[in-house]
Amino acid sequence: MIFLVGPSGSGKDSLIDAARERLAAAGVEIARRVITRSAEAKGEAAHGVTPEQFETLRVQGAFAMHWHANGLDYGIPRQVDDWLAEGRAVLVNGSRAYLAEARQRYPGLLAVLVQVRPQVLRQRLVARGRETAEEVEQRLARSARLQALPDPSVHLLDNSTTLEAAVSALFGVLRDEGVLPQV
């Protein structure tokens, strides 16, 4: 289980999209999140549901993991457990606040934190136009709080420059950790 985390706007979705083809070729599955955000909203190719639909899915046991962050509910479909049972690596766009719980559920979890310089993060959040100015400030404050809790077992990946550099760094971590073969 590769648990990719980082502040909203750090470029996790862009990183996943840019690496998707190479990850698939290497046999890495990418989980599609279920989010209580409309399908028309800009961002990842998630499955958008209403809060009521999300709660129904949660009660039915449809999620391997689920959490609430930034006013939204996020769920990872149980299918990831099937993939893991088949011996496949699975990449999940996760949450820093949920990391401890994810580690309890998946003890061998590989945590990767996508970092971005604060000024770059602010620019990205404003440019995507998904939040109000107040919500952008709340996200930046949450990011700063979570950043203040360093965890030496989390692999750091800088996405402040080019997407190509971040993809290369991600594949380096995956090779170093034995998820992908050394080339």
Side-chain angles (χ1 to χ4, degrees), residues 41-60:
K42 289 193 254 178
E44 71 179 281
H47 179 71
V49 297
T50 66
E52 296 78 18
Q53 290 169 321
F54 187 93
E55 183 58 18
T56 298
L57 289 167
R58 188 193 66 74
V59 169
Q60 291 173 345

Side-chain angles (χ1 to χ4, degrees), residues 122-138:
R122 180 184 306 279
Q123 289 170 349
R124 289 180 183 173
L125 289 172
V126 170
R128 74 182 185 180
R130 209 187 287 166
E131 298 93 3
T132 65
E134 181 180 336
E135 290 169 332
V136 166
E137 293 309 314
Q138 289 171 351

Side-chain angles (χ1 to χ4, degrees), residues 98-178:
Y98 188 79
L99 179 56
E101 290 179 61
R103 279 193 170 134
Q104 285 181 338
R105 179 143 168 66
Y106 302 99
L109 179 142
L110 171 63
V112 179
L113 171 63
V114 179
Q115 294 183 308
V116 62
R117 292 189 300 271
Q119 64 273 25
V120 173
L121 181 58
R122 180 184 306 279
Q123 289 170 349
R124 289 180 183 173
L125 289 172
V126 170
R128 74 182 185 180
R130 209 187 287 166
E131 298 93 3
T132 65
E134 181 180 336
E135 290 169 332
V136 166
E137 293 309 314
Q138 289 171 351
R139 285 185 181 268
L140 290 169
R142 180 175 185 264
S143 176
R145 280 192 312 275
L146 290 171
Q147 203 85 358
L149 307 170
D151 181 340
S153 66
V154 174
H155 296 268
L156 304 179
L157 192 153
D158 183 32
N159 191 20
S160 298
T161 61
T162 68
L163 193 52
E164 295 78 23
V167 169
S168 179
L170 174 63
F171 276 85
V173 168
L174 297 180
R175 279 190 301 275
D176 291 347
E177 293 301 314

Side-chain angles (χ1 to χ4, degrees), residues 18-32:
R20 186 175 304 278
E21 197 171 298
R22 284 179 59 194
L23 288 167
V28 177
E29 298 288 348
I30 300 171
R32 183 174 181 216

Side-chain angles (χ1 to χ4, degrees), residues 16-85:
I16 291 169
D17 286 343
R20 186 175 304 278
E21 197 171 298
R22 284 179 59 194
L23 288 167
V28 177
E29 298 288 348
I30 300 171
R32 183 174 181 216
R33 299 194 297 183
V34 176
I35 305 177
T36 54
R37 176 172 63 222
S38 76
E40 295 79 35
K42 289 193 254 178
E44 71 179 281
H47 179 71
V49 297
T50 66
E52 296 78 18
Q53 290 169 321
F54 187 93
E55 183 58 18
T56 298
L57 289 167
R58 188 193 66 74
V59 169
Q60 291 173 345
F63 302 127
M65 297 180 275
H66 59 88
W67 59 88
H68 184 84
N70 298 309
L72 300 171
D73 290 303
Y74 297 82
I76 304 301
R78 289 203 86 61
Q79 181 181 29
V80 301
D81 291 335
D82 296 336
W83 290 336
L84 291 168

